[in-house]
Amino acid sequence: MREALLMNLKGFSASQLQQTIDEGIASQEETILVGLGVLFEKYYNSLDTDTKQQFLQNISSLL
């Protein structure tokens, strides 16, 4: 499923990706959460240690 999602999004511009994410969130479909989780994982794993800590602090402040 991860590979299929990433292949479907390959080549998307930032605005296309934003539209896809916004529409997915607005739909409130549970299956969309899986896709967003894949994007979250990919992004999180790309961060260096300092940026990862800042990212986690930002998320923590939302909870």
Side-chain angles (χ1 to χ4, degrees):
M1 182 168 211
R2 282 181 170 94
E3 294 301 318
L5 173 80
L6 295 173
M7 287 300 294
N8 286 339
L9 296 176
K10 188 174 181 146
F12 271 36
S13 68
S15 63
Q16 289 171 308
L17 188 55
Q18 180 180 1
Q19 181 180 359
T20 299
I21 291 170
D22 289 344
E23 287 173 359
I25 292 170
S27 76
Q28 297 184 343
E29 290 182 35
E30 294 292 322
T31 56
I32 299 300
L33 295 177
V34 175
L36 292 176
V38 171
L39 293 178
F40 176 89
E41 176 187 27
K42 187 95 169 147
Y43 177 70
Y44 183 81
N45 287 335
S46 75
L47 301 175
D48 63 47
T49 303
D50 291 336
T51 306
K52 193 176 281 187
Q53 287 304 310
Q54 183 60 47
F55 178 72
L56 292 169
Q57 287 176 356
N58 290 342
I59 290 177
S60 176
S61 71
L62 297 173
L63 304 175

Short mmCIF file of all heavy atoms in Angstrom, two decimals:
data_model
loop_
_atom_site.label_atom_id
_atom_site.label_comp_id
_atom_site.label_asym_id
_atom_site.label_seq_id
_atom_site.Cartn_x
_atom_site.Cartn_y
_atom_site.Cartn_z
N MET A 1 0.82 -1.19 0.00
CA MET A 1 0.00 0.00 0.00
C MET A 1 0.87 1.26 0.00
O MET A 1 0.53 2.23 -0.67
CB MET A 1 -0.92 -0.02 1.22
CG MET A 1 -1.84 1.15 1.29
SD MET A 1 -3.09 0.88 2.52
CE MET A 1 -4.40 1.76 1.80
N ARG A 2 1.97 1.22 0.77
CA ARG A 2 2.87 2.39 0.80
C ARG A 2 3.36 2.73 -0.60
O ARG A 2 3.33 3.89 -1.01
CB ARG A 2 4.07 2.11 1.70
CG ARG A 2 3.81 2.21 3.15
CD ARG A 2 5.12 1.92 3.90
NE ARG A 2 5.00 2.22 5.29
CZ ARG A 2 4.67 1.34 6.21
NH1 ARG A 2 4.43 0.09 5.87
NH2 ARG A 2 4.58 1.71 7.46
N GLU A 3 3.86 1.71 -1.28
CA GLU A 3 4.43 1.93 -2.61
C GLU A 3 3.38 2.45 -3.59
O GLU A 3 3.66 3.34 -4.38
CB GLU A 3 5.06 0.64 -3.14
CG GLU A 3 6.28 0.20 -2.35
CD GLU A 3 7.38 1.24 -2.35
OE1 GLU A 3 7.66 1.86 -3.39
OE2 GLU A 3 7.98 1.43 -1.27
N ALA A 4 2.17 1.91 -3.52
CA ALA A 4 1.09 2.36 -4.41
C ALA A 4 0.76 3.82 -4.16
O ALA A 4 0.59 4.61 -5.10
CB ALA A 4 -0.15 1.49 -4.23
N LEU A 5 0.68 4.20 -2.90
CA LEU A 5 0.37 5.59 -2.56
C LEU A 5 1.46 6.51 -3.08
O LEU A 5 1.17 7.52 -3.73
CB LEU A 5 0.22 5.77 -1.05
CG LEU A 5 0.06 7.23 -0.65
CD1 LEU A 5 -1.37 7.68 -0.87
CD2 LEU A 5 0.51 7.48 0.75
N LEU A 6 2.70 6.15 -2.82
CA LEU A 6 3.81 7.00 -3.25
C LEU A 6 3.88 7.09 -4.77
O LEU A 6 4.18 8.16 -5.31
CB LEU A 6 5.12 6.51 -2.65
CG LEU A 6 5.20 6.60 -1.12
CD1 LEU A 6 6.46 5.94 -0.60
CD2 LEU A 6 5.11 8.04 -0.65
N MET A 7 3.59 6.01 -5.46
CA MET A 7 3.58 6.03 -6.93
C MET A 7 2.46 6.94 -7.45
O MET A 7 2.65 7.66 -8.43
CB MET A 7 3.43 4.62 -7.49
CG MET A 7 4.67 3.76 -7.34
SD MET A 7 6.12 4.43 -8.18
CE MET A 7 5.62 4.33 -9.87
N ASN A 8 1.31 6.91 -6.78
CA ASN A 8 0.18 7.76 -7.21
C ASN A 8 0.48 9.24 -7.02
O ASN A 8 -0.04 10.07 -7.75
CB ASN A 8 -1.09 7.39 -6.44
CG ASN A 8 -1.70 6.09 -6.90
OD1 ASN A 8 -1.45 5.63 -8.01
ND2 ASN A 8 -2.49 5.48 -6.05
N LEU A 9 1.31 9.56 -6.03
CA LEU A 9 1.62 10.97 -5.75
C LEU A 9 2.90 11.44 -6.44
O LEU A 9 3.18 12.65 -6.43
CB LEU A 9 1.76 11.17 -4.24
CG LEU A 9 0.49 10.92 -3.42
CD1 LEU A 9 0.79 11.06 -1.93
CD2 LEU A 9 -0.63 11.86 -3.83
N LYS A 10 3.64 10.53 -7.02
CA LYS A 10 4.91 10.89 -7.65
C LYS A 10 4.70 11.97 -8.71
O LYS A 10 3.79 11.87 -9.55
CB LYS A 10 5.54 9.66 -8.28
CG LYS A 10 6.93 9.89 -8.78
CD LYS A 10 7.57 8.63 -9.26
CE LYS A 10 8.97 8.98 -9.73
NZ LYS A 10 9.91 7.93 -9.47
N GLY A 11 5.50 13.00 -8.63
CA GLY A 11 5.44 14.09 -9.60
C GLY A 11 4.44 15.18 -9.26
O GLY A 11 4.34 16.16 -9.99
N PHE A 12 3.71 15.03 -8.16
CA PHE A 12 2.76 16.07 -7.76
C PHE A 12 3.51 17.34 -7.39
O PHE A 12 4.55 17.29 -6.74
CB PHE A 12 1.95 15.62 -6.54
CG PHE A 12 0.68 14.88 -6.85
CD1 PHE A 12 0.59 14.01 -7.92
CD2 PHE A 12 -0.43 15.03 -6.05
CE1 PHE A 12 -0.57 13.32 -8.20
CE2 PHE A 12 -1.60 14.34 -6.31
CZ PHE A 12 -1.68 13.49 -7.39
N SER A 13 2.96 18.46 -7.77
CA SER A 13 3.49 19.75 -7.32
C SER A 13 3.04 19.98 -5.88
O SER A 13 2.16 19.26 -5.37
CB SER A 13 2.96 20.88 -8.21
OG SER A 13 1.56 21.04 -8.01
N ALA A 14 3.62 20.97 -5.24
CA ALA A 14 3.24 21.30 -3.87
C ALA A 14 1.75 21.65 -3.79
O ALA A 14 1.05 21.22 -2.86
CB ALA A 14 4.08 22.45 -3.33
N SER A 15 1.24 22.37 -4.76
CA SER A 15 -0.18 22.76 -4.72
C SER A 15 -1.08 21.54 -4.96
O SER A 15 -2.15 21.44 -4.33
CB SER A 15 -0.49 23.87 -5.72
OG SER A 15 -0.25 23.44 -7.04
N GLN A 16 -0.68 20.63 -5.83
CA GLN A 16 -1.47 19.41 -6.04
C GLN A 16 -1.47 18.55 -4.78
O GLN A 16 -2.49 17.98 -4.41
CB GLN A 16 -0.90 18.60 -7.20
CG GLN A 16 -1.13 19.20 -8.55
CD GLN A 16 -0.36 18.45 -9.62
OE1 GLN A 16 0.84 18.23 -9.51
NE2 GLN A 16 -1.08 18.05 -10.66
N LEU A 17 -0.32 18.46 -4.12
CA LEU A 17 -0.22 17.69 -2.90
C LEU A 17 -1.08 18.31 -1.80
O LEU A 17 -1.80 17.62 -1.09
CB LEU A 17 1.23 17.59 -2.46
CG LEU A 17 1.54 16.66 -1.30
CD1 LEU A 17 1.04 15.25 -1.56
CD2 LEU A 17 3.03 16.64 -1.03
N GLN A 18 -1.04 19.64 -1.68
CA GLN A 18 -1.86 20.32 -0.69
C GLN A 18 -3.34 20.05 -0.94
O GLN A 18 -4.09 19.75 -0.02
CB GLN A 18 -1.60 21.82 -0.69
CG GLN A 18 -2.47 22.53 0.34
CD GLN A 18 -2.24 24.04 0.38
OE1 GLN A 18 -1.44 24.57 -0.38
NE2 GLN A 18 -2.96 24.71 1.25
N GLN A 19 -3.75 20.14 -2.18
CA GLN A 19 -5.16 19.90 -2.53
C GLN A 19 -5.56 18.47 -2.16
O GLN A 19 -6.62 18.25 -1.59
CB GLN A 19 -5.40 20.15 -4.01
CG GLN A 19 -6.84 19.94 -4.42
CD GLN A 19 -7.07 20.20 -5.91
OE1 GLN A 19 -6.16 20.56 -6.65
NE2 GLN A 19 -8.30 20.02 -6.34
N THR A 20 -4.71 17.52 -2.45
CA THR A 20 -4.99 16.11 -2.14
C THR A 20 -5.11 15.90 -0.64
O THR A 20 -6.03 15.24 -0.16
CB THR A 20 -3.88 15.21 -2.72
OG1 THR A 20 -3.85 15.38 -4.14
CG2 THR A 20 -4.12 13.75 -2.38
N ILE A 21 -4.19 16.49 0.11
CA ILE A 21 -4.22 16.36 1.58
C ILE A 21 -5.45 17.04 2.15
O ILE A 21 -6.16 16.48 2.98
CB ILE A 21 -2.92 16.92 2.20
CG1 ILE A 21 -1.75 16.01 1.82
CG2 ILE A 21 -3.05 17.05 3.71
CD1 ILE A 21 -0.39 16.59 2.16
N ASP A 22 -5.72 18.27 1.70
CA ASP A 22 -6.88 19.01 2.21
C ASP A 22 -8.19 18.26 1.91
O ASP A 22 -9.07 18.17 2.78
CB ASP A 22 -6.94 20.41 1.60
CG ASP A 22 -5.86 21.33 2.13
OD1 ASP A 22 -5.25 21.01 3.17
OD2 ASP A 22 -5.62 22.38 1.49
N GLU A 23 -8.31 17.72 0.72
CA GLU A 23 -9.52 16.98 0.36
C GLU A 23 -9.63 15.70 1.19
O GLU A 23 -10.73 15.34 1.63
CB GLU A 23 -9.51 16.63 -1.13
CG GLU A 23 -9.78 17.83 -2.02
CD GLU A 23 -9.60 17.52 -3.51
OE1 GLU A 23 -9.26 16.37 -3.87
OE2 GLU A 23 -9.80 18.45 -4.31
N GLY A 24 -8.52 15.05 1.43
CA GLY A 24 -8.53 13.84 2.24
C GLY A 24 -8.95 14.11 3.67
O GLY A 24 -9.77 13.38 4.24
N ILE A 25 -8.43 15.18 4.24
CA ILE A 25 -8.80 15.55 5.61
C ILE A 25 -10.28 15.93 5.67
O ILE A 25 -11.00 15.52 6.58
CB ILE A 25 -7.90 16.69 6.12
CG1 ILE A 25 -6.47 16.17 6.32
CG2 ILE A 25 -8.45 17.27 7.43
CD1 ILE A 25 -5.45 17.26 6.58
N ALA A 26 -10.73 16.70 4.70
CA ALA A 26 -12.13 17.15 4.69
C ALA A 26 -13.09 15.97 4.54
O ALA A 26 -14.19 16.01 5.09
CB ALA A 26 -12.35 18.15 3.56
N SER A 27 -12.67 14.92 3.86
CA SER A 27 -13.57 13.78 3.64
C SER A 27 -13.79 12.97 4.92
O SER A 27 -14.78 12.28 5.04
CB SER A 27 -13.01 12.86 2.56
OG SER A 27 -11.93 12.08 3.07
N GLN A 28 -12.87 13.06 5.85
CA GLN A 28 -12.93 12.35 7.13
C GLN A 28 -13.06 10.83 6.95
O GLN A 28 -13.60 10.15 7.82
CB GLN A 28 -14.04 12.89 8.02
CG GLN A 28 -13.82 14.33 8.41
CD GLN A 28 -14.85 14.85 9.37
OE1 GLN A 28 -15.93 14.28 9.54
NE2 GLN A 28 -14.54 15.94 10.02
N GLU A 29 -12.57 10.32 5.84
CA GLU A 29 -12.59 8.89 5.60
C GLU A 29 -11.41 8.24 6.33
O GLU A 29 -10.29 8.73 6.27
CB GLU A 29 -12.50 8.58 4.11
CG GLU A 29 -13.73 8.96 3.34
CD GLU A 29 -13.62 8.60 1.87
OE1 GLU A 29 -13.01 7.57 1.56
OE2 GLU A 29 -14.14 9.38 1.06
N GLU A 30 -11.67 7.14 7.01
CA GLU A 30 -10.63 6.44 7.75
C GLU A 30 -9.49 5.99 6.84
O GLU A 30 -8.32 5.99 7.25
CB GLU A 30 -11.21 5.24 8.49
CG GLU A 30 -12.17 5.62 9.61
CD GLU A 30 -11.50 6.32 10.78
OE1 GLU A 30 -10.38 5.92 11.15
OE2 GLU A 30 -12.09 7.26 11.32
N THR A 31 -9.80 5.61 5.62
CA THR A 31 -8.76 5.12 4.72
C THR A 31 -7.76 6.22 4.37
O THR A 31 -6.60 5.93 4.07
CB THR A 31 -9.36 4.54 3.43
OG1 THR A 31 -10.19 5.53 2.82
CG2 THR A 31 -10.18 3.30 3.72
N ILE A 32 -8.20 7.46 4.40
CA ILE A 32 -7.31 8.58 4.11
C ILE A 32 -6.23 8.68 5.18
O ILE A 32 -5.10 9.04 4.90
CB ILE A 32 -8.10 9.91 4.02
CG1 ILE A 32 -9.11 9.84 2.88
CG2 ILE A 32 -7.18 11.09 3.86
CD1 ILE A 32 -8.53 9.61 1.50
N LEU A 33 -6.57 8.33 6.42
CA LEU A 33 -5.58 8.39 7.50
C LEU A 33 -4.39 7.50 7.22
O LEU A 33 -3.26 7.85 7.56
CB LEU A 33 -6.23 8.01 8.83
CG LEU A 33 -7.31 8.95 9.35
CD1 LEU A 33 -7.90 8.39 10.64
CD2 LEU A 33 -6.76 10.35 9.56
N VAL A 34 -4.62 6.37 6.59
CA VAL A 34 -3.52 5.47 6.23
C VAL A 34 -2.58 6.16 5.26
O VAL A 34 -1.36 6.15 5.43
CB VAL A 34 -4.06 4.15 5.64
CG1 VAL A 34 -2.94 3.27 5.15
CG2 VAL A 34 -4.92 3.43 6.66
N GLY A 35 -3.14 6.78 4.25
CA GLY A 35 -2.33 7.50 3.27
C GLY A 35 -1.57 8.65 3.88
O GLY A 35 -0.38 8.86 3.59
N LEU A 36 -2.22 9.39 4.75
CA LEU A 36 -1.54 10.50 5.43
C LEU A 36 -0.44 9.96 6.34
O LEU A 36 0.61 10.59 6.49
CB LEU A 36 -2.53 11.34 6.22
CG LEU A 36 -3.54 12.13 5.38
CD1 LEU A 36 -4.53 12.85 6.29
CD2 LEU A 36 -2.83 13.12 4.47
N GLY A 37 -0.67 8.80 6.92
CA GLY A 37 0.34 8.17 7.76
C GLY A 37 1.59 7.81 6.97
O GLY A 37 2.72 7.96 7.45
N VAL A 38 1.41 7.38 5.73
CA VAL A 38 2.54 7.06 4.87
C VAL A 38 3.34 8.33 4.58
O VAL A 38 4.58 8.34 4.65
CB VAL A 38 2.08 6.39 3.56
CG1 VAL A 38 3.22 6.25 2.57
CG2 VAL A 38 1.47 5.03 3.85
N LEU A 39 2.65 9.41 4.28
CA LEU A 39 3.34 10.69 4.04
C LEU A 39 4.04 11.17 5.30
O LEU A 39 5.17 11.67 5.24
CB LEU A 39 2.35 11.74 3.55
CG LEU A 39 1.75 11.51 2.18
CD1 LEU A 39 0.75 12.61 1.85
CD2 LEU A 39 2.82 11.41 1.12
N PHE A 40 3.37 11.03 6.45
CA PHE A 40 3.97 11.42 7.72
C PHE A 40 5.26 10.63 7.96
O PHE A 40 6.29 11.20 8.32
CB PHE A 40 2.98 11.17 8.86
CG PHE A 40 3.53 11.45 10.22
CD1 PHE A 40 3.43 12.72 10.78
CD2 PHE A 40 4.16 10.47 10.95
CE1 PHE A 40 3.94 12.99 12.03
CE2 PHE A 40 4.69 10.73 12.20
CZ PHE A 40 4.58 12.00 12.75
N GLU A 41 5.20 9.32 7.75
CA GLU A 41 6.36 8.46 7.96
C GLU A 41 7.53 8.88 7.05
O GLU A 41 8.67 9.00 7.50
CB GLU A 41 5.99 7.01 7.69
CG GLU A 41 7.16 6.05 7.79
CD GLU A 41 6.80 4.64 7.36
OE1 GLU A 41 5.87 4.46 6.54
OE2 GLU A 41 7.46 3.72 7.85
N LYS A 42 7.23 9.11 5.79
CA LYS A 42 8.26 9.51 4.82
C LYS A 42 8.91 10.83 5.24
O LYS A 42 10.13 10.96 5.21
CB LYS A 42 7.60 9.63 3.44
CG LYS A 42 8.52 9.85 2.32
CD LYS A 42 8.86 8.55 1.68
CE LYS A 42 9.58 8.78 0.37
NZ LYS A 42 10.54 7.74 0.11
N TYR A 43 8.08 11.79 5.62
CA TYR A 43 8.60 13.09 6.05
C TYR A 43 9.41 12.97 7.33
O TYR A 43 10.53 13.47 7.41
CB TYR A 43 7.43 14.07 6.24
CG TYR A 43 7.87 15.42 6.74
CD1 TYR A 43 8.59 16.28 5.92
CD2 TYR A 43 7.60 15.83 8.04
CE1 TYR A 43 9.01 17.51 6.38
CE2 TYR A 43 8.01 17.06 8.50
CZ TYR A 43 8.72 17.90 7.67
OH TYR A 43 9.14 19.12 8.14
N TYR A 44 8.85 12.30 8.32
CA TYR A 44 9.51 12.15 9.62
C TYR A 44 10.89 11.49 9.46
O TYR A 44 11.87 11.93 10.05
CB TYR A 44 8.62 11.32 10.54
CG TYR A 44 9.17 11.15 11.94
CD1 TYR A 44 9.02 12.16 12.88
CD2 TYR A 44 9.83 9.99 12.30
CE1 TYR A 44 9.52 12.01 14.17
CE2 TYR A 44 10.33 9.84 13.59
CZ TYR A 44 10.18 10.84 14.52
OH TYR A 44 10.69 10.69 15.78
N ASN A 45 10.95 10.45 8.64
CA ASN A 45 12.21 9.74 8.44
C ASN A 45 13.23 10.57 7.68
O ASN A 45 14.43 10.26 7.73
CB ASN A 45 11.98 8.41 7.74
CG ASN A 45 11.34 7.39 8.65
OD1 ASN A 45 11.47 7.46 9.87
ND2 ASN A 45 10.64 6.44 8.07
N SER A 46 12.81 11.62 7.00
CA SER A 46 13.74 12.46 6.24
C SER A 46 14.37 13.56 7.09
O SER A 46 15.32 14.22 6.64
CB SER A 46 13.01 13.09 5.05
OG SER A 46 12.17 14.16 5.48
N LEU A 47 13.86 13.77 8.30
CA LEU A 47 14.33 14.87 9.14
C LEU A 47 15.64 14.54 9.85
O LEU A 47 15.85 13.40 10.26
CB LEU A 47 13.27 15.22 10.19
CG LEU A 47 11.90 15.65 9.67
CD1 LEU A 47 10.94 15.83 10.84
CD2 LEU A 47 12.00 16.91 8.85
N ASP A 48 16.48 15.56 10.01
CA ASP A 48 17.66 15.36 10.85
C ASP A 48 17.23 15.43 12.31
O ASP A 48 16.10 15.79 12.62
CB ASP A 48 18.75 16.39 10.53
CG ASP A 48 18.34 17.83 10.80
OD1 ASP A 48 17.78 18.11 11.88
OD2 ASP A 48 18.57 18.69 9.92
N THR A 49 18.11 15.10 13.22
CA THR A 49 17.77 14.99 14.64
C THR A 49 17.21 16.28 15.22
O THR A 49 16.19 16.26 15.91
CB THR A 49 18.99 14.53 15.45
OG1 THR A 49 19.46 13.29 14.90
CG2 THR A 49 18.66 14.34 16.91
N ASP A 50 17.84 17.41 14.94
CA ASP A 50 17.37 18.68 15.49
C ASP A 50 15.99 19.07 14.94
O ASP A 50 15.11 19.50 15.68
CB ASP A 50 18.36 19.80 15.21
CG ASP A 50 19.66 19.64 15.98
OD1 ASP A 50 19.66 18.97 17.04
OD2 ASP A 50 20.68 20.18 15.52
N THR A 51 15.81 18.91 13.64
CA THR A 51 14.53 19.24 13.03
C THR A 51 13.45 18.30 13.52
O THR A 51 12.31 18.72 13.75
CB THR A 51 14.65 19.18 11.49
OG1 THR A 51 15.73 20.01 11.07
CG2 THR A 51 13.36 19.63 10.82
N LYS A 52 13.81 17.04 13.70
CA LYS A 52 12.85 16.06 14.21
C LYS A 52 12.37 16.46 15.61
O LYS A 52 11.19 16.39 15.92
CB LYS A 52 13.49 14.67 14.25
CG LYS A 52 12.51 13.55 14.47
CD LYS A 52 13.21 12.19 14.40
CE LYS A 52 13.45 11.81 12.96
NZ LYS A 52 13.97 10.44 12.79
N GLN A 53 13.28 16.91 16.45
CA GLN A 53 12.90 17.33 17.80
C GLN A 53 11.97 18.54 17.77
O GLN A 53 11.00 18.61 18.51
CB GLN A 53 14.14 17.63 18.65
CG GLN A 53 14.89 16.40 19.07
CD GLN A 53 14.01 15.42 19.82
OE1 GLN A 53 13.31 15.78 20.76
NE2 GLN A 53 14.01 14.17 19.40
N GLN A 54 12.26 19.50 16.89
CA GLN A 54 11.39 20.67 16.75
C GLN A 54 10.01 20.25 16.24
O GLN A 54 8.99 20.73 16.73
CB GLN A 54 12.01 21.70 15.81
CG GLN A 54 11.20 22.97 15.67
CD GLN A 54 11.01 23.70 16.99
OE1 GLN A 54 11.96 23.89 17.73
NE2 GLN A 54 9.79 24.11 17.27
N PHE A 55 10.00 19.37 15.28
CA PHE A 55 8.75 18.86 14.73
C PHE A 55 7.92 18.18 15.81
O PHE A 55 6.72 18.43 15.94
CB PHE A 55 9.09 17.88 13.59
CG PHE A 55 7.90 17.23 12.95
CD1 PHE A 55 7.05 17.94 12.13
CD2 PHE A 55 7.64 15.88 13.16
CE1 PHE A 55 5.96 17.33 11.53
CE2 PHE A 55 6.55 15.27 12.56
CZ PHE A 55 5.71 16.00 11.74
N LEU A 56 8.56 17.36 16.62
CA LEU A 56 7.86 16.67 17.70
C LEU A 56 7.34 17.65 18.75
O LEU A 56 6.25 17.47 19.28
CB LEU A 56 8.78 15.63 18.34
CG LEU A 56 9.12 14.44 17.44
CD1 LEU A 56 10.23 13.60 18.06
CD2 LEU A 56 7.89 13.61 17.16
N GLN A 57 8.11 18.69 19.04
CA GLN A 57 7.64 19.72 19.98
C GLN A 57 6.41 20.43 19.41
O GLN A 57 5.46 20.71 20.15
CB GLN A 57 8.75 20.71 20.28
CG GLN A 57 9.83 20.13 21.17
CD GLN A 57 10.98 21.10 21.39
OE1 GLN A 57 11.03 22.19 20.82
NE2 GLN A 57 11.94 20.69 22.22
N ASN A 58 6.43 20.71 18.11
CA ASN A 58 5.28 21.37 17.48
C ASN A 58 4.04 20.50 17.56
O ASN A 58 2.96 20.98 17.89
CB ASN A 58 5.59 21.71 16.02
CG ASN A 58 6.60 22.81 15.87
OD1 ASN A 58 6.86 23.58 16.80
ND2 ASN A 58 7.20 22.89 14.71
N ILE A 59 4.18 19.22 17.28
CA ILE A 59 3.04 18.31 17.36
C ILE A 59 2.57 18.17 18.80
O ILE A 59 1.38 18.19 19.08
CB ILE A 59 3.38 16.94 16.74
CG1 ILE A 59 3.53 17.09 15.23
CG2 ILE A 59 2.30 15.90 17.08
CD1 ILE A 59 3.93 15.82 14.53
N SER A 60 3.51 18.06 19.71
CA SER A 60 3.18 17.91 21.13
C SER A 60 2.35 19.10 21.62
O SER A 60 1.43 18.93 22.41
CB SER A 60 4.46 17.77 21.95
OG SER A 60 4.18 17.72 23.31
N SER A 61 2.66 20.29 21.13
CA SER A 61 1.92 21.47 21.57
C SER A 61 0.47 21.47 21.06
O SER A 61 -0.37 22.18 21.59
CB SER A 61 2.64 22.74 21.14
OG SER A 61 2.54 22.92 19.73
N LEU A 62 0.19 20.67 20.05
CA LEU A 62 -1.17 20.59 19.53
C LEU A 62 -2.05 19.62 20.32
O LEU A 62 -3.27 19.63 20.19
CB LEU A 62 -1.15 20.12 18.07
CG LEU A 62 -0.45 21.04 17.08
CD1 LEU A 62 -0.36 20.35 15.72
CD2 LEU A 62 -1.16 22.38 16.97
N LEU A 63 -1.43 18.77 21.12
CA LEU A 63 -2.17 17.73 21.84
C LEU A 63 -2.61 18.21 23.20
O LEU A 63 -2.13 19.07 23.80
CB LEU A 63 -1.30 16.48 21.98
CG LEU A 63 -0.78 15.91 20.68
CD1 LEU A 63 0.17 14.74 20.94
CD2 LEU A 63 -1.93 15.44 19.78
#
